[in-house]
Amino acid sequence: MKQLEQEKDVLLQGLETVERARDWYHTRILAVQDKQKYLDAQSPSSKRLLEASQVCVNNLTAQVQQVNHHLNTLIQDTGDQGLSLHMDLLTSHSGRVASPTVKTSDNCGHIQELGDKTEIIRKLEQEKSLLIRQVFEARSQIQKMQSPSRDTTFI
């Protein structure tokens, strides 16, 4: 009886995780659609950031395929032994040691952060350029006001 209760608890936890995963998928799909709309309206320079995020897409694809494989294997195998074997497979990835998949998802976050900061740097450089131009114009105006007699033209 205790084993059946444990199995029920595990299945309920799995169902909760699948529901959260479903919400996550919907959220990500909406975010991708928003990015598509944004990039369609932007210049080609912003599309370079999209090319840089290909690493993130590759990592995400690998992770989703891995999860799909585990879920499909679990669904196909309805025997008790198969269930315990696949539960071992699923829980073996939940250890504290960071797997390559976790590290690559961290890289994905770093790439996104790098893209955001690159955009901020680009904007700051434009502002800097404008400010430098204004400083030179102000100096020029001050010099003209201080020495109007020096502005003579020799013919």
Side-chain angles (χ1 to χ4, degrees), residues 94-122:
S94 64
R96 293 187 182 247
V97 177
S99 68
T101 309
V102 172
K103 290 179 183 177
T104 54
S105 67
D106 288 344
N107 288 345
C108 182
H110 293 308
I111 289 172
Q112 179 66 36
E113 182 181 348
L114 178 64
D116 294 343
K117 289 186 178 184
T118 301
E119 184 65 22
I120 291 170
I121 290 170
R122 185 187 63 77

Side-chain angles (χ1 to χ4, degrees), residues 26-127:
H26 284 293
T27 303
R28 290 297 300 250
I29 289 169
L30 291 174
V32 167
Q33 289 171 340
D34 288 342
K35 285 180 185 179
Q36 285 174 330
K37 290 176 188 174
Y38 175 77
L39 288 174
D40 286 342
Q42 293 300 315
S43 66
S45 63
S46 64
K47 293 185 181 180
R48 280 184 251 140
L49 292 175
L50 183 63
E51 293 169 3
S53 69
Q54 184 61 42
V55 173
C56 294
V57 172
N58 292 343
N59 292 332
L60 179 65
T61 301
Q63 289 176 329
V64 169
Q65 287 175 343
Q66 184 179 23
V67 168
N68 289 345
H69 173 73
H70 285 299
L71 288 173
N72 285 326
T73 304
L74 183 65
I75 291 167
Q76 290 172 357
D77 195 351
T78 57
D80 289 338
Q81 284 184 333
L83 180 61
S84 63
L85 172 65
H86 296 302
M87 289 308 291
D88 288 342
L89 283 175
L90 290 173
T91 57
S92 68
H93 294 292
S94 64
R96 293 187 182 247
V97 177
S99 68
T101 309
V102 172
K103 290 179 183 177
T104 54
S105 67
D106 288 344
N107 288 345
C108 182
H110 293 308
I111 289 172
Q112 179 66 36
E113 182 181 348
L114 178 64
D116 294 343
K117 289 186 178 184
T118 301
E119 184 65 22
I120 291 170
I121 290 170
R122 185 187 63 77
K123 288 178 182 178
L124 289 172
E125 286 176 345
Q126 286 177 340
E127 288 179 32

